[in-house]
């Protein structure tokens, strides 16, 4: 049993809704459902009655909440006893994240972690892989969440959290963009919007193009300007290469995302200094992010 599961049960009971609890805690509904299902399986009881119109506590659920509230109150008392509510006393997790993370599932995962772990503060920086590596070596970051090709894994301890197909994000104005795929060899026909010349992503994509004898036609270099790049795609100035979740989030009436054929993949890793023993909030953070990526919304079957 984990503390977050206790908070989830109490919030669902308060909201009388899984979706309402998810909004209140900045967590996805499947995440709450998954954790409560796991808790019910561990306790061998049903905590909630679920039907198409409502969610209510069972008698076992009422009993659970009675004790759960005492636990939550005790945790709050513990924090106050050690002044852990003071922001300058809380541990700070310094996390480097890849550009465009705000357009990916990672944004909500990070928000969820810090919303449900109020005794920890977060310091999030969008950085290129190379900058993240330097900051980890210098002790300026505790973690970095990066994307890379499997043939270029970093020289750090890491946990693999996802692998995704590479997509081309392109304007619907572009003549002939009616297909369902982007042929790899055709990428040279489109100006590329990418990272700066010495960035990890620029070098990775240049290598991909070179390996496949594709002209490397770059028109803009600055992935920190995410909104500008999105507008440039909309205006048919160039294309963005991104993993599926990011690419899909950029789609709208003027932008489409096409999987690249033959299939190309990038792996997402959470990396940290070599041989660092993860404990407490650091271990909780690594496990939370890893578990969150493993959870699939399609696996959730709870009806509200």
């Amino acid at each position: 049993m984990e503390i977050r599961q206790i908070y989830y049960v109490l919030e669902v009971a308060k909201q009388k809704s899984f979706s309402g609890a998810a909004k209140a805690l900045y967590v996805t509904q499947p995440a709450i459902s998954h954790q409560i299902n796991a808790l019910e399986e561990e306790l061998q009881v049903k905590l909630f009655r679920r039907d198409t119109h409502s969610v209510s506590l069972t008698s076992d659920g009422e009993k659970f909440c009675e004790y759960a509230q005492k636990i939550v109150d005790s945790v709050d008392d513990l924090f106050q006893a050690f002044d852990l509510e003071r922001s300058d006393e809380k541990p700070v997790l310094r996390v480097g994240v890849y550009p465009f993370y705000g357009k990916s599932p990672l944004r909500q995962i990070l928000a969820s972690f810090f919303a449900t772990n109020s005794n920890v503060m977060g310091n999030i920086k969008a950085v290129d892989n190379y900058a993240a590596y330097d900051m980890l070596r210098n002790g300026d970051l505790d973690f970095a969440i990066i994307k890379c090709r499997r043939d270029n894994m970093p020289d750090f301890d890491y946990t693999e959290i996802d692998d995704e197909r590479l997509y081309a994000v392109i304007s619907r104005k572009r003549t002939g963009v009616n297909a369902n795929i982007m042929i790899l060899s055709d990428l040279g026909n489109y100006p590329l919007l990418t990272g700066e010349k010495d960035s990890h992503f620029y070098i990775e994509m240049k290598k991909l193009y070179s390996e496949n004898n594709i002209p490397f036609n770059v028109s803009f270099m600055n992935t920190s300007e995410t909104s500008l790049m999105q507008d440039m795609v909309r205006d048919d100035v160039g294309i963005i290469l991104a993993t599926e979740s990011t690419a899909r989030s950029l789609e709208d009436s003027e932008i489409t995302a096409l999987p690249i054929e033959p299939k190309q993949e990038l792996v997402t890793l959470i990396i940290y200094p070599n041989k660092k023993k993860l404990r407490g909030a650091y271990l909780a953070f690594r496990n939370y992010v890893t578990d969150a990526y493993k959870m699939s919304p399609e696996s959730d079957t709870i009806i509200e």
Side-chain angles (χ1 to χ4, degrees):
M1 187 185 303
E2 298 181 16
I3 289 290
R4 63 172 167 163
Q5 292 172 318
I6 294 173
Y7 279 101
Y8 289 173
V9 171
L10 289 173
E11 193 63 35
V12 172
K14 176 182 175 182
Q15 301 287 342
K16 296 183 172 58
S17 163
F18 279 80
S19 60
K23 290 177 183 177
L25 294 172
Y26 299 94
V27 186
T28 62
Q29 181 181 330
I32 285 187
S33 300
H34 176 85
Q35 290 298 327
I36 290 179
N37 283 341
L39 180 60
E40 289 178 324
E41 184 175 344
E42 179 181 351
L43 297 175
Q44 294 294 294
V45 299
K46 284 294 180 184
L47 300 174
F48 293 99
R49 299 184 190 89
R50 306 159 170 97
D51 59 39
T52 55
H53 301 293
S54 65
V55 173
S56 60
L57 287 167
T58 63
S59 58
D60 285 321
E62 291 175 355
K63 181 179 179 181
F64 180 91
C65 286
E66 179 183 347
Y67 286 95
Q69 189 60 56
K70 295 177 183 177
I71 293 172
V72 168
D73 292 343
S74 295
V75 170
D76 290 342
D77 290 343
L78 177 62
F79 288 156
Q80 290 174 12
F82 288 92
D83 292 328
L84 291 180
E85 285 302 318
R86 289 168 46 195
S87 63
D88 59 348
E89 296 293 335
K90 296 178 183 179
V92 178
L93 293 181
R94 301 162 302 168
V95 185
V97 293
Y98 50 81
F100 277 102
Y101 87 98
K103 299 290 185 180
S104 75
L106 181 59
R107 178 190 61 78
Q108 191 167 30
I109 291 169
L110 294 177
S112 169
F113 175 82
F114 291 109
T116 54
N117 291 271
S118 59
N119 59 316
V120 181
M121 290 194 299
N123 187 334
I124 310 298
K125 300 178 185 293
V127 293
D128 174 70
N129 287 21
Y130 292 150
Y133 300 161
D134 287 341
M135 294 174 77
L136 282 169
R137 292 188 189 100
N138 295 335
D140 297 322
L141 286 179
D142 299 304
F143 296 96
I145 301 173
I146 67 165
K147 293 178 182 287
C148 64
R149 298 203 297 170
R150 286 194 180 277
D151 60 358
N152 193 19
M153 303 290 261
D155 187 23
F156 287 92
D157 287 343
Y158 62 81
T159 301
E160 183 175 332
I161 55 180
D162 201 13
D163 60 76
E164 291 184 90
R165 190 169 183 172
L166 192 63
Y167 271 61
V169 182
I170 186 169
S171 171
R172 296 183 189 272
K173 296 176 183 178
R174 175 69 65 160
T175 304
V177 180
N178 296 314
N180 295 319
I181 61 171
M182 169 68 74
I183 302 301
L184 179 63
S185 58
D186 289 342
L187 287 177
N189 298 330
Y190 307 100
L192 181 63
L193 314 177
T194 186
E196 295 185 23
K197 202 166 187 177
D198 59 351
S199 70
H200 175 270
F201 193 74
Y202 180 98
I203 293 171
E204 285 272 50
M205 292 304 100
K206 186 175 183 179
K207 183 179 178 182
L208 174 65
Y209 278 58
S210 176
E211 289 171 349
N212 292 278
N213 298 312
I214 302 168
F216 193 54
N217 177 16
V218 175
S219 65
F220 181 78
M221 298 184 294
N222 191 341
T223 46
S224 63
E225 294 290 345
T226 54
S227 296
L228 176 58
M229 291 177 72
Q230 194 170 353
D231 289 339
M232 292 172 78
V233 172
R234 221 174 254 120
D235 294 336
D236 197 21
V237 175
I239 66 171
I240 295 171
L241 298 182
T243 52
E244 181 176 3
S245 59
T246 301
R248 292 292 191 193
S249 74
L250 297 173
E251 283 191 304
D252 58 26
S253 61
E254 298 176 274
I255 294 176
T256 189
L258 304 175
I260 294 173
E261 286 284 358
K263 185 178 182 180
Q264 307 294 316
E265 286 189 325
L266 293 181
V267 60
T268 304
L269 309 173
I270 180 167
I271 64 175
Y272 34 93
N274 293 326
K275 298 181 181 178
K276 178 178 180 178
K277 184 70 174 178
L278 299 180
R279 296 186 177 91
Y282 301 93
L283 179 61
F285 178 79
R286 195 277 306 272
N287 291 346
Y288 190 96
V289 173
T290 303
D291 291 346
Y293 266 91
K294 289 178 181 177
M295 278 188 259
S296 170
E298 287 76 17
S299 66
D300 181 70
T301 57
I302 289 180
I303 299 174
E304 295 199 59

